[in-house]
Amino acid sequence: MGRTYIVEESVGQYLSNVNLQGKDFVSGLLIGQCSSQKDYVILAARTPPNEEQNENLKHPKAKLDNLDEEWATVHANQVSRMLPGGLLVLGVFIITTLEMANDFQNALRRLVFAVEKSMNKKRLWNFTEEEVSERVTLHICSSTKKIFCRTYDIHDPKSSAKPADWKYQNGLSASWLSLECTVHINIHIPLSATSVSYTLEKNTKNGLARWAKQIENGVYLINGQVKDEDCDLLEGQKKSSRGNAQATNHSFDVRVLTQLLLNSDHRSTATVQICSGSVNLKGAVKCRAYLHSNKPKVKDAVQAVKRDILNTVADRCEMLFEDLLLNEDSEKEFHILPHRVFVPVPGSTVMLCDYKFGDESAEEIRAHFIEMLDHMIQIEDLEIAEEINTV
């Protein structure tokens, strides 16, 4: 028995409306959440065309073997930055003409592994052994609308495709719990003086990896309480007439305690390091995570929040380094990390995010949302989390 994918009906409408515009195929990403029993898909986003390859795409008989995996992974990395805790790129889709309907499987396999490998390089956390390791590939024929849904085990490059069920459901986008957390960070990162090959970026990544351990080992209070990790997150919540928790509008406040308490029997060690300088990351980071309301556990909530904290700090640092390389402006003493901007998934209670540097306009952020997610966003929907973060 393969995995089941519960898919928001608007995703099906989106996929059926994708216009090939004279091309033989279009690919994109599937976004949602994994659970032990089934996965939930709330958004599909077509990979934008690569402007540098537009001329090549005009030629007929472009085969799936020529699918630009590198460009698709660039898109996946951009979109993964926009996903709050609890949400992942669950897999990929390809829509093809009827003539190419038999050539899709190898291309999908390569694509789903390339996307996952690329995103995994940037994470400060690792998947647990208990987590779902399957990712979905979806093929749709533009003429017949026939669907082929399969999964691959991303931990096993030699794994074979398994059939999976693709089921549409109305109202899925409203069945989510939100968790919000503000983390005040003050991360001191020494810059090594003993290795000239260590760049600012490498030093910072090493420093963030050490900080990540504190986040992983922190104590998480949900609505002011420490709860057993195997406890039902909705335990004690109001029940509906059907006996189910009314989870749609539930929002949880999360606090993180990361101070390490040492008893007299525990010895800590210190490392002496020759430094040429240091980097300090300071600020208040707004974090959000989402869980589907189908029997979530406290451990699921804590894990989703942890990963959002780690992702958003790492992503901002990476974006800052990219900006410094582009603008060659690394001599300043202080740099402002980009602010987080939230926007709702159309028709959903779930919000995705992007990042705004001080000189970027709301229209530029809106345009980036539209380009990456291929969904219309209104400027008034943008919610800027006011943070002052410096490096």
Side-chain angles (χ1 to χ4, degrees), residues 11-58:
V11 173
Q13 190 63 46
Y14 170 83
L15 293 172
S16 66
N17 290 339
V18 170
N19 189 342
L20 294 183
Q21 298 177 330
K23 302 173 186 176
D24 288 314
F25 63 88
V26 166
S27 67
L29 306 173
L30 299 168
I31 297 159
Q33 186 169 98
C34 292
S35 75
S36 59
Q37 297 179 335
K38 59 189 70 172
D39 292 355
Y40 304 96
V41 182
I42 62 169
L43 196 70
R46 178 177 58 176
T47 297
N50 186 345
E51 298 297 335
E52 296 179 359
Q53 291 196 344
N54 272 351
E55 290 301 316
N56 294 332
L57 292 175
K58 291 178 181 179

Side-chain angles (χ1 to χ4, degrees), residues 46-268:
R46 178 177 58 176
T47 297
N50 186 345
E51 298 297 335
E52 296 179 359
Q53 291 196 344
N54 272 351
E55 290 301 316
N56 294 332
L57 292 175
K58 291 178 181 179
H59 296 290
K61 307 299 181 184
K63 294 185 177 181
L64 286 173
D65 286 342
N66 298 326
L67 178 65
D68 191 344
E69 294 173 24
E70 183 178 355
W71 183 249
T73 58
V74 169
H75 179 227
N77 286 325
Q78 290 281 325
V79 170
S80 67
R81 285 177 175 173
M82 307 172 83
L83 304 183
L87 297 184
L88 294 169
V89 174
L90 295 180
V92 298
F93 71 83
I94 285 183
I95 302 173
T96 70
T97 59
L98 182 60
E99 292 77 12
M100 301 189 71
N102 296 322
D103 299 332
F104 64 88
Q105 199 56 53
N106 286 336
L108 279 171
R109 179 191 176 93
R110 292 197 312 272
L111 185 59
V112 75
F113 276 98
V115 163
E116 188 64 31
K117 181 179 179 181
S118 179
M119 291 188 297
N120 198 45
K121 288 180 180 177
K122 301 177 181 296
R123 294 176 179 138
L124 290 175
W125 48 270
N126 297 313
F127 286 106
T128 65
E129 293 182 358
E130 295 78 20
E131 288 185 84
V132 175
S133 60
E134 292 180 67
R135 294 294 179 265
V136 64
T137 62
L138 184 75
H139 169 253
I140 301 175
C141 175
S142 62
S143 302
T144 65
K145 304 302 180 183
K146 192 171 183 179
I147 289 177
F148 295 89
C149 184
R150 293 178 173 85
T151 62
Y152 291 94
D153 185 344
I154 55 169
H155 293 165
D156 181 8
K158 297 181 180 179
S159 65
S160 301
K162 297 179 181 178
D165 290 329
W166 184 264
K167 298 181 179 180
Y168 291 109
Q169 178 179 309
N170 187 30
L172 174 65
S173 292
S175 304
W176 295 85
L177 312 174
S178 66
L179 302 109
E180 299 189 10
C181 177
T182 299
V183 179
H184 297 272
I185 63 171
N186 187 357
I187 308 170
H188 180 78
I189 302 172
L191 302 180
S192 173
T194 58
S195 176
V196 294
S197 64
Y198 259 55
T199 63
L200 175 62
E201 183 176 6
K202 285 182 179 179
N203 274 288
T204 303
K205 285 183 176 180
N206 287 339
L208 288 179
R210 293 190 291 270
W211 164 76
K213 293 179 181 179
Q214 296 181 40
I215 298 300
E216 290 284 0
N217 296 326
V219 177
Y220 288 75
L221 284 69
I222 298 178
N223 290 344
Q225 297 180 325
V226 177
K227 297 186 177 183
D228 184 89
E229 64 175 16
D230 291 318
C231 176
D232 186 344
L233 182 64
L234 293 172
E235 188 175 55
Q237 300 290 339
K238 184 178 178 181
K239 302 289 183 178
S240 69
S241 59
R242 294 182 179 180
N244 297 318
Q246 294 179 334
T248 301
N249 297 318
H250 280 318
S251 179
F252 297 86
D253 175 65
V254 181
R255 292 181 60 199
V256 186
L257 305 179
T258 59
Q259 184 175 2
L260 302 180
L261 302 178
L262 303 177
N263 59 41
S264 58
D265 297 325
H266 188 86
R267 296 291 183 267
S268 61

Side-chain angles (χ1 to χ4, degrees), residues 357-369:
F357 282 99
D359 58 351
E360 289 184 288
S361 67
E363 178 55 39
E364 288 177 295
I365 300 301
R366 172 179 175 270
H368 189 247
F369 267 116

Side-chain angles (χ1 to χ4, degrees), residues 255-316:
R255 292 181 60 199
V256 186
L257 305 179
T258 59
Q259 184 175 2
L260 302 180
L261 302 178
L262 303 177
N263 59 41
S264 58
D265 297 325
H266 188 86
R267 296 291 183 267
S268 61
T269 59
T271 301
V272 177
Q273 182 177 350
I274 301 174
C275 300
S276 61
S278 64
V279 170
N280 287 300
L281 296 171
K282 295 182 180 180
V285 179
K286 300 289 185 181
C287 301
R288 289 186 187 177
Y290 293 91
L291 291 177
H292 189 270
S293 58
N294 183 27
K295 300 179 180 179
K297 299 290 186 181
V298 169
K299 62 182 178 182
D300 300 323
V302 171
Q303 178 178 275
V305 172
K306 283 181 182 180
R307 290 179 179 178
D308 191 64
I309 297 170
L310 298 176
N311 287 344
T312 189
V313 172
D315 288 342
R316 292 179 213 223

